[in-house]
Amino acid sequence: MEEKATQIRRLTALLDVSQALGSTLDLHVAMERVLEILDRELGMKRGSIALLEAGGDLSIQYAHGMSEGERQRGRYRVDEGITGKVVSSGKPIVVPQVSREPLFLNRTRRRTNGEESFICVPIKDRRKTIGALSILYPFRQNRQFEDELKLLAIVASMLAQGLRLAQMVEAEKAQLVDENTNLKRELQQKYDFRNIIGTSKEMREVYEQIAQVASTGTTILIRGESGTGKELVAHAIHYSSPRASKPFIKVNCAALPESLIESELFGHEKGAFTGALARKRGRFELAEGGTLFLDEIGDLSPALQVKLLRVLQEREFERVGGTETIRVNVRLIAATNVNLETAVQDGRFRSDLYYRLNVFSLYLPPMRERKTDILLLADHFLEKYSRQNGKRIKRISTPAIDMLMSYHWPGNVRELENVIERATLVCEGNVIHGYHLPPTLQTAEGSGTVTRTSLDHAVEAFERDLIMDALKTTRGNRARAARLLDTTERILGYKVKKYGIDCRRFRV
């Protein structure tokens, strides 16, 4: 009967050890719980877990029944003492009476009250010994150690699995930290305002303003037409600021329905409304310490304008359905393509919120005001989408450039990017020609000045484009241009005269 009770106690101990190792990812807590279970169920006096260090020595990492000083003194070379021999041989050792064993070094210098027995079993991971589990029992005459040895061998195997899992978790955590650090570094490099493309006078003024305001915590209002790059500038400000390592959270106020935007911005408590099954943190909380970018802020409802004004003034708010006041440290960057002054006059936008937002205003010029940047942007997008689509498109033809320069670009940079992406997809050669561009650029369809043309005129226009492109390639050399077009210099000269092409224009 007593033997059955002992077996049940040992099985219970193994179950408790398994639960202790599986209940937490904190290795220190798990190992201490295991040693406490062995103390409670097996009646040990002291226990320790020694592990191999990077240098090859053994040290007691986890202990029960020892002071911190005793634990730190527990260091061994492999093959030194009983613990070192167990690790070097990979076999357990039982010492019935430690006072009669010369290999028992007592490195911890623990004073004993009476005779003790000692069991040390190896901890093996994939047949490689990585440490040892040691247990001290009160000495008992004629004690049988076989059952304890089997039990501790099973516990040591479970410890090895726990250690391996902890190492995998730590390695994965370290990898995630490295990836996070690299991603933040890449984002800082990607959104550095020096990477924004444009050398026009208007854009140089924008760069100067970004440099002035980035290092501060000032609220910024970015104004400009749709597609001018307001979000890109907001990114550049954030990643050039002291808040660069903190979150950058963006919200498109126009994209969210009015019934949801309050919950998105401020969060909600469980049960605040139908479907609120759990507490949710809002964008203001998620952006703590960083930057919150509110795009299309001119579309906010009057009720939300009041709540946003309070956050800007007091830096505090309550979640929807909650009473707890939450304080936040967030920099706000707002953007709009709406004329807020007109909206204030019409009563669609609160004047007090407008003055709170308009502390530092940045105006992004439309493409029609920065024509000199069109070629730079077109070349950038051409390189980007050529690489993405696995093509080797090297340049844009002169007629195509003329078409890009003469277009009024109502969609601004976004429209230019889409045009170049489309041209890259349909281009089969290594040069973007005018016929690769959308119809709105090839004709006057987009501006409402569509004109009829005959087939002869269309052929002549195409022929003129080819001749101009060949002359540009040969820098105005008609003989080389003729060879390039598989024709004679005399015929080419006739065509140049017919179309009124000035060859000197290309001799640069």
Side-chain angles (χ1 to χ4, degrees):
M1 195 71 178
E2 183 179 347
E3 183 179 348
K4 187 175 181 180
T6 301
Q7 289 179 349
I8 292 173
R9 191 172 68 250
R10 287 170 178 164
L11 288 172
T12 302
L14 288 176
L15 176 62
D16 291 344
V17 168
S18 176
Q19 291 176 343
L21 291 172
S23 63
T24 178
L25 290 175
D26 188 329
L27 193 61
H28 184 79
V29 172
M31 294 301 175
E32 286 192 345
R33 285 180 186 171
V34 169
L35 292 173
E36 288 172 3
I37 292 165
L38 294 178
D39 180 14
R40 184 180 68 244
E41 300 296 339
L42 302 182
M44 73 177 191
K45 290 177 68 176
R46 292 193 307 281
S48 65
I49 299 171
L51 299 174
L52 280 171
E53 296 178 332
D57 290 340
L58 277 164
S59 66
I60 295 177
Q61 301 289 331
Y62 312 101
H64 181 74
M66 295 184 191
S67 67
E68 182 62 20
E70 290 171 341
R71 185 193 69 77
Q72 291 178 357
R73 288 194 291 269
R75 300 185 64 83
Y76 312 89
R77 294 192 305 274
V78 175
D79 211 19
E80 180 184 34
I82 294 173
T83 304
K85 284 194 174 297
V86 167
V87 172
S88 64
S89 66
K91 296 179 180 179
I93 294 178
V94 177
V95 180
Q97 289 182 263
V98 297
S99 62
R100 297 185 179 181
E101 177 55 64
L103 287 176
F104 187 78
L105 302 178
N106 193 20
R107 281 281 166 81
T108 61
R109 301 171 195 163
R110 173 84 177 184
R111 293 185 178 181
T112 59
N113 296 319
E115 189 63 84
E116 295 173 323
S117 301
F118 182 71
I119 300 179
C120 185
V121 295
I123 300 174
K124 294 183 178 182
D125 181 22
R126 301 189 184 104
R127 298 185 180 180
K128 180 183 177 182
T129 306
I130 59 172
L133 169 64
S134 304
I135 302 294
L136 276 166
Y137 293 98
F139 173 72
R140 194 173 70 221
Q141 194 72 35
N142 299 323
R143 178 194 283 269
Q144 300 298 315
F145 293 100
E146 288 80 4
D147 290 339
E148 278 89 349
L149 202 58
K150 291 177 182 177
L151 177 67
L152 291 175
I154 295 171
V155 171
S157 176
M158 295 166 74
L159 290 177
Q161 292 179 5
L163 288 165
R164 182 166 67 249
L165 177 62
Q167 288 174 351
M168 291 169 62
V169 169
E170 285 299 317
E172 187 172 346
K173 191 185 295 183
Q175 182 181 356
L176 288 173
V177 169
D178 288 342
E179 288 178 359
N180 191 29
T181 303
N182 291 334
L183 282 172
K184 285 181 177 178
R185 189 181 300 116
E186 287 176 11
L187 283 171
Q188 283 181 300
Q189 293 172 355
K190 178 181 178 181
Y191 291 114
D192 190 313
F193 73 89
R194 288 180 288 270
N195 292 334
I196 299 176
I197 296 170
T199 57
S200 61
K201 176 178 175 291
E202 293 80 7
M203 288 307 295
R204 287 200 300 270
E205 291 175 358
V206 171
Y207 303 150
E208 290 174 6
Q209 289 179 306
I210 293 174
Q212 286 173 349
V213 79
S215 60
T216 70
T218 304
T219 299
I220 299 171
L221 179 62
I222 305 175
R223 312 179 72 164
E225 296 179 8
S226 180
T228 50
K230 295 187 289 295
E231 185 176 328
L232 184 64
V233 169
H235 271 107
I237 292 170
H238 171 73
Y239 287 106
S240 300
S241 74
R243 298 173 182 261
S245 60
K246 299 296 182 180
F248 178 85
I249 305 295
K250 51 190 176 182
V251 181
N252 190 319
C253 302
L256 294 170
E258 190 175 337
S259 58
L260 289 179
I261 192 166
E262 183 178 0
S263 171
E264 284 295 319
L265 287 177
F266 306 114
H268 62 251
E269 298 289 349
K270 181 179 179 181
F273 50 82
T274 304
L277 302 178
R279 172 187 283 184
K280 177 183 176 181
R281 298 170 67 204
R283 303 297 178 92
F284 271 99
E285 285 184 82
L286 295 174
E288 174 63 28
T291 302
L292 179 64
F293 175 56
L294 297 180
D295 199 5
E296 307 298 348
I297 198 166
D299 295 323
L300 275 182
S301 67
L304 271 173
Q305 291 178 28
V306 175
K307 295 193 174 185
L308 182 60
L309 177 63
R310 184 197 166 198
V311 178
L312 287 173
Q313 289 177 333
E314 309 296 336
R315 299 291 172 179
E316 60 183 31
F317 62 93
E318 289 83 34
R319 297 190 189 98
V320 177
T323 56
E324 178 189 357
T325 299
I326 301 166
R327 294 192 62 83
V328 288
N329 172 24
V330 172
R331 181 188 203 167
L332 188 70
I333 300 178
T336 183
N337 59 7
V338 173
N339 188 322
L340 291 184
E341 289 81 6
T342 303
V344 169
Q345 290 175 2
D346 295 343
R348 292 181 287 112
F349 202 83
R350 293 181 62 95
S351 59
D352 45 6
L353 178 58
Y354 167 72
Y355 293 123
R356 275 286 175 185
L357 291 172
N358 198 32
V359 177
F360 191 96
S361 184
L362 267 172
Y363 172 72
L364 296 186
M367 285 298 297
R368 61 183 175 274
E369 294 178 9
R370 45 182 293 214
K371 290 268 187 175
T372 55
D373 293 332
I374 290 176
L375 286 184
L376 290 173
L377 288 163
D379 285 340
H380 168 73
F381 294 135
L382 179 63
E383 181 183 352
K384 173 183 175 181
Y385 290 109
S386 295
R387 185 170 58 250
Q388 282 188 11
N389 295 298
K391 295 192 174 184
R392 301 186 65 181
I393 303 174
K394 297 180 180 178
R395 63 187 181 87
I396 302 172
S397 70
T398 301
I401 289 173
D402 291 340
M403 292 166 67
L404 294 174
M405 294 297 291
S406 60
Y407 187 57
H408 57 292
W409 298 109
N412 295 297
V413 180
R414 186 182 293 123
E415 184 181 9
L416 174 61
E417 181 175 3
N418 292 340
V419 164
I420 299 300
E421 182 179 8
R422 177 192 182 279
T424 305
L425 289 172
V426 300
C427 180
E428 298 296 333
N430 57 7
V431 179
I432 298 288
H433 291 284
Y435 52 84
H436 293 132
L437 300 178
T440 48
L441 273 76
Q442 292 185 43
T443 69
E445 180 183 338
S447 57
T449 56
V450 179
T451 56
R452 288 179 172 273
T453 184
S454 66
L455 179 61
D456 289 341
H457 287 160
V459 172
E460 287 176 355
F462 181 63
E463 189 176 48
R464 185 175 185 275
D465 283 354
L466 286 177
I467 292 171
M468 288 178 64
D469 196 41
L471 287 170
K472 181 184 176 183
T473 302
T474 61
R475 297 184 181 275
N477 188 316
R478 287 202 290 191
R480 289 176 57 201
R483 288 196 296 273
L484 202 62
L485 295 171
D486 286 335
T487 187
T488 64
E489 187 177 354
R490 184 179 66 83
I491 293 175
L492 183 65
Y494 167 74
K495 299 286 186 182
V496 166
K497 184 177 180 181
K498 176 183 176 182
Y499 297 129
I501 300 172
D502 185 4
C503 296
R504 291 174 298 180
R505 170 185 171 189
F506 305 101
R507 293 171 186 168
V508 181

